[in-house]
Amino acid sequence: MQKYNLIIVYDKEYKHVLMCLREKEPFLGLYNFVGGKIESNETDQEAAYRELFEETHIYKQNIELKHVHDLFYYLEDMCLQVWVGQIKEDIEVYGDENQLAWINLDENFFDSSRFAGYGNIGHLLYSIDINKEKIIF
């Protein structure tokens, strides 16, 4: 089973979430979280921090990531790990692959005309929000 990660990054005030505007399929033209393939020679946590840096230039010292969900897609023989963190201070983020944007948490993340994942983004953000005391933001 191939493993992938997606990383949910909140700003330091917990008012915005960092997303990328997909410039290729899947989900071309829609906002999505950053993340990617977990290589066989790295731990899951190493992969999360590597992907985060590659796609946003956020260093490990700027954020503590916590593994909060695993989504199994058995028909695709795939596991998607969900990591979440809140940046510790205002920093410049930029992507070499996709345009990045801080999206206000008041948005309708279930809107599949704007956001990738067929509603999964809305579900994940809701799940994190109702459990944020356990995640310790």
Side-chain angles (χ1 to χ4, degrees):
M1 178 171 286
Q2 179 59 58
K3 294 192 297 185
Y4 296 86
N5 56 39
L6 68 83
I7 302 125
I8 301 172
V9 176
Y10 292 94
D11 65 354
K12 72 178 191 170
E13 289 86 22
Y14 193 76
K15 293 184 179 177
H16 300 89
V17 65
L18 185 63
M19 302 192 89
C20 66
L21 187 60
R22 297 282 303 164
E23 293 186 15
K24 60 182 178 181
E25 293 293 350
F27 303 116
L28 173 68
L30 300 178
Y31 284 104
N32 200 0
F33 297 120
V34 298
K37 186 176 180 180
I38 300 171
E39 303 295 340
S40 61
N41 64 338
E42 62 188 344
T43 68
D44 297 344
Q45 186 178 51
E46 288 170 343
Y49 281 108
R50 175 186 55 77
E51 286 289 348
L52 180 63
F53 179 76
E54 287 177 1
E55 296 193 25
T56 68
H57 294 87
I58 295 174
Y59 289 93
K60 186 176 181 178
Q61 64 261 25
N62 299 122
I63 192 168
E64 179 184 354
L65 295 178
K66 297 188 179 177
H67 185 185
V68 294
H69 290 288
D70 285 327
L71 305 172
F72 290 92
Y73 296 85
Y74 294 105
L75 297 176
E76 290 90 358
D77 196 31
M78 174 181 89
C79 174
L80 181 63
Q81 295 181 352
V82 180
W83 295 79
V84 64
Q86 184 176 16
I87 58 170
K88 298 173 183 176
E89 58 193 350
D90 288 331
I91 55 173
E92 180 184 2
V93 296
Y94 57 96
D96 297 329
E97 188 174 327
N98 295 296
Q99 178 184 349
L100 300 176
W102 289 103
I103 307 293
N104 191 300
L105 289 175
D106 292 337
E107 291 285 337
N108 176 9
F109 292 100
F110 291 98
D111 180 355
S112 60
S113 70
R114 290 193 60 217
F115 300 100
Y118 312 111
N120 284 338
I121 287 175
H123 166 76
L124 290 170
L125 291 175
Y126 176 76
S127 173
I128 290 165
D129 190 54
I130 64 172
N131 289 292
K132 65 185 170 191
E133 298 82 30
K134 296 175 187 173
I135 301 169
I136 310 174
F137 282 133

